[in-house]
Amino acid sequence: MSADSTLQTQVLGELYVAHHDWLSRFIQRRIGCPHTTADLIQDTYLRLLTNGRLPEQQDARRFLTHVSKGLVIDLYRRQRIEEAYLTYLQNQPEHLASSPEDHLQMIQVLTEIDAMLHRLPENVRQTLLLRQLEGLSYKAIAERLGVSVSSVEKYMVKALQACMALDPAGD
């Protein structure tokens, strides 16, 4: 283990000890479940560890708040997607039922797509959704967004690149 990683582990441990109880209360107020709170605390510190960027002591709470809020938002998005998917499944004929493994995989894929869409700039996201879901032409999208057709083409390229990044096999 290098001196840098040893120091980073030590700083992370000190950060954990100093802020665990506060972070626990902060997350618990937002979600209410102690088990999920514990998971999100661990995910917060795991994110810091894998990111390799630890905050300065004076910025620790602000930084931990930022990371944990993002994780809470991700949790709510996943729950919203899961509820919508389960509602969709309830409205399907019994003979089209799939396995629990397929359900889990579909929820994971839908969550990844949702996260990708939320990372896109607004015009890029709107272009993709208007084209794919509403079937609008580039000209109609340009008119709706108040931009040029050339901009819509560029937005579509960015959107498709983001979609391709979700599928490393390029399938």
Side-chain angles (χ1 to χ4, degrees):
M1 190 179 254
S2 72
D4 284 345
S5 63
T6 302
L7 178 60
Q8 185 178 20
T9 302
Q10 180 182 350
V11 170
L12 187 65
E14 291 169 2
L15 192 67
Y16 185 88
V17 169
H19 298 286
H20 178 272
D21 291 342
W22 167 83
L23 186 59
S24 179
R25 287 188 304 276
F26 177 81
I27 294 172
Q28 179 74 25
R29 281 193 309 266
R30 278 149 184 78
I31 59 172
C33 174
H35 302 293
T36 305
T37 296
D39 289 343
L40 290 180
I41 290 169
Q42 297 307 317
D43 289 347
T44 299
Y45 286 101
L46 181 61
R47 178 98 27 117
L48 294 179
L49 185 62
T50 58
N51 184 344
R53 213 182 76 191
L54 297 178
E56 297 294 325
Q57 187 62 30
Q58 67 272 14
D59 297 328
R61 282 196 177 182
R62 184 175 54 81
F63 197 79
L64 289 168
T65 299
H66 177 74
V67 172
S68 63
K69 277 184 179 179
L71 292 170
V72 169
I73 289 168
D74 290 347
L75 173 70
Y76 285 140
R77 281 184 183 152
R78 180 179 173 86
Q79 288 173 342
R80 181 178 47 85
I81 290 167
E82 188 170 356
E83 288 170 10
Y85 181 66
L86 292 174
T87 300
Y88 166 79
L89 289 177
Q90 287 175 344
N91 295 322
Q92 297 303 305
E94 180 102 13
H95 70 278
L96 295 178
S98 54
S99 71
E101 293 83 13
D102 288 341
H103 293 176
L104 179 60
Q105 186 176 19
M106 182 58 75
I107 290 168
Q108 289 171 335
V109 168
L110 290 170
T111 302
E112 288 176 27
I113 291 169
D114 182 66
M116 180 272 301
L117 287 171
H118 281 87
R119 286 190 301 269
L120 292 174
E122 182 64 25
N123 280 348
V124 175
R125 178 176 49 249
Q126 286 301 317
T127 297
L128 178 65
L129 294 175
L130 291 170
R131 178 73 179 145
Q132 296 303 114
L133 299 180
E134 295 186 28
L136 295 182
S137 68
Y138 283 12
K139 182 178 179 187
I141 294 169
E143 289 171 4
R144 171 113 30 121
L145 297 180
V147 299
S148 67
V149 172
S150 171
S151 292
V152 169
E153 291 170 350
K154 290 175 186 173
Y155 297 155
M156 232 10 232
V157 168
K158 287 181 183 177
L160 292 174
Q161 287 172 336
C163 290
M164 291 299 293
L166 284 179
D167 184 11
D171 296 337

